[in-house]
Amino acid sequence: MSTKNKILDAAEDLFAVKGFNGTSLREITSQAEVNLAAVNYHFGSKKELIKAVMSRYMNELAPNLEKVLLEVCEQDKPTLTQVFSAFAEPLLSLNDFRENGTSNFLQLLGRGYTDSQGFLRWFLTTQYPNVIQYFVDAVHKAYPELSAEEMFWRLHFTMGTIVFTMSSSEALLDIAKSDFNQDVEIASLIEQVIPYIAAGVAAPVGGART
Amino acid sequence: MSTKNKILDAAEDLFAVKGFNGTSLREITSQAEVNLAAVNYHFGSKKELIKAVMSRYMNELAPNLEKVLLEVCEQDKPTLTQVFSAFAEPLLSLNDFRENGTSNFLQLLGRGYTDSQGFLRWFLTTQYPNVIQYFVDAVHKAYPELSAEEMFWRLHFTMGTIVFTMSSSEALLDIAKSDFNQDVEIASLIEQVIPYIAAGVAAPVGGART
DNA sequence: CGCTATTTTAAACGCATGTTTAAACTGAAC
DNA sequence: GTTCAGTTTAAACATGCGTTTAAAATAGCG
């Protein structure tokens, strides 16, 4: 295993648990069993390392997401549940890509949105605009009555649901286990959240009551 | 204005925007126009200062939340929208308590859940258990078919929606403004999110489709 | 082998952090 | 006016950070 990959693997695990700001290069290089200076030699800076960790996942994930979202769009009248369910398979296949890949990636996504004042949001929206565009298209086809403004807010609510749940998923899975003897996997967590967000995005517009 | 309050005010504003880890004591004391050592003199440590900032809000908010949640529970058959709408007034009244009180508090809540590895979650659940209990009771009365496990997950999804939205609300409000010329206040953001989370929690159980 | 380019290494640099110290100041009580 | 607890202050402390340096080790190639 190359030094570069050893660093990427260690950085990914630590970033997921402790956040970007909360993880030092010394922790990373120590866990990776490489020299401290190796990060700056191979990646240039900590910021570039963060980008590299995220890119490794996004380059794997983006084509798959674009594919399934386009497929959903091809249907006459997709349901919102279909739209959100489309994410499940590409996300879960990250577990073949790397151990705990799904969970790690979603946690990283969560960290990136709250750590480091949104530079990751800029990174994702500029580097992978198609994923977002196809997703918006799919939601629009499933629920055309939703105005652009309402769509904007509901998609960010959804982002929040996912990102927060996943970034605190370790703690939550522990609580669930001790309270309900319920040994939840990340896969079943994804299944749990789909009806929630589908119903949320599907909520009637304009002050109607549930 | 006492030194203690000057520190609390400055810390609150900075914590909300830059997070707990992202704000240094020097920034706080500089903005508060007090000496650096004043924080450790009056509060003991940075961690205790964080607790003090949160306590100031929770001590104001908790009695009001408990009151409105108990009121909702007294109804024969409250709706989920009523349950979640009950939060609006106590939260918005924080604006009378302090300038930008509502927004600041919700942002702090969001920061606390992702920064500092969940010590704030422990703090809130142990210090203010009644609020959580009354809330769970209210949701249960509104939707008794929801099992304890499903309730657990959906309430955390809801927490995620709120907390994430609010912790990135500054960025989101800016984007909304530039994209839609839509000058959104925190109050209307709360109104937007209520139907979303009410519908999410109200989603049918057991794999039914929307 | 001998040369070169790449990689690894230990050490240091400069800087920012939370905290502590001890002296200076303040304001009421006697 | 003196005393003394409470408060403020400037300075230093110890530590950890990301980054840089320059020498040592390694690997690839003619």
Side-chain angles (χ1 to χ4, degrees), chain A residues 71-91:
Chain A
E71 281 171 11
V72 170
C73 272
E74 278 168 12
Q75 298 185 39
D76 274 3
K77 180 74 180 172
T79 68
L80 282 172
T81 300
Q82 285 174 328
V83 175
F84 291 113
S85 298
F87 281 82
E89 196 273 331
L91 282 175

Side-chain angles (χ1 to χ4, degrees), chain A residues 93-109:
Chain A
S93 76
L94 293 178
N95 279 332
D96 306 329
F97 178 59
R98 246 180 73 64
E99 186 159 325
N100 291 321
T102 306
S103 156
N104 273 7
F105 170 71
L106 290 171
Q107 284 186 254
L108 291 172
L109 204 59

Side-chain angles (χ1 to χ4, degrees), chain B residues 3 26 34-35 37-38 41-42:
Chain B
T3 298
R26 283 169 176 79
V34 303
N35 187 273
Y41 177 76
H42 285 285

Side-chain angles (χ1 to χ4, degrees), chain B residues 7-33:
Chain B
I7 293 173
L8 281 172
D9 290 353
E12 174 187 321
D13 289 340
L14 289 166
F15 283 157
V17 174
K18 317 180 67 170
F20 300 118
N21 295 332
T23 306
S24 71
L25 294 185
R26 283 169 176 79
E27 290 178 273
I28 293 169
T29 53
S30 161
Q31 174 159 327
E33 295 180 311

Side-chain angles (χ1 to χ4, degrees), chain B residues 47-66:
Chain B
K47 202 162 202 168
E48 289 299 317
L49 172 62
I50 296 174
K51 279 194 201 172
V53 168
M54 292 308 295
S55 293
R56 191 163 64 147
Y57 271 110
M58 285 306 289
N59 292 337
E60 169 78 14
L61 187 62
N64 295 336
L65 283 183
E66 292 176 12

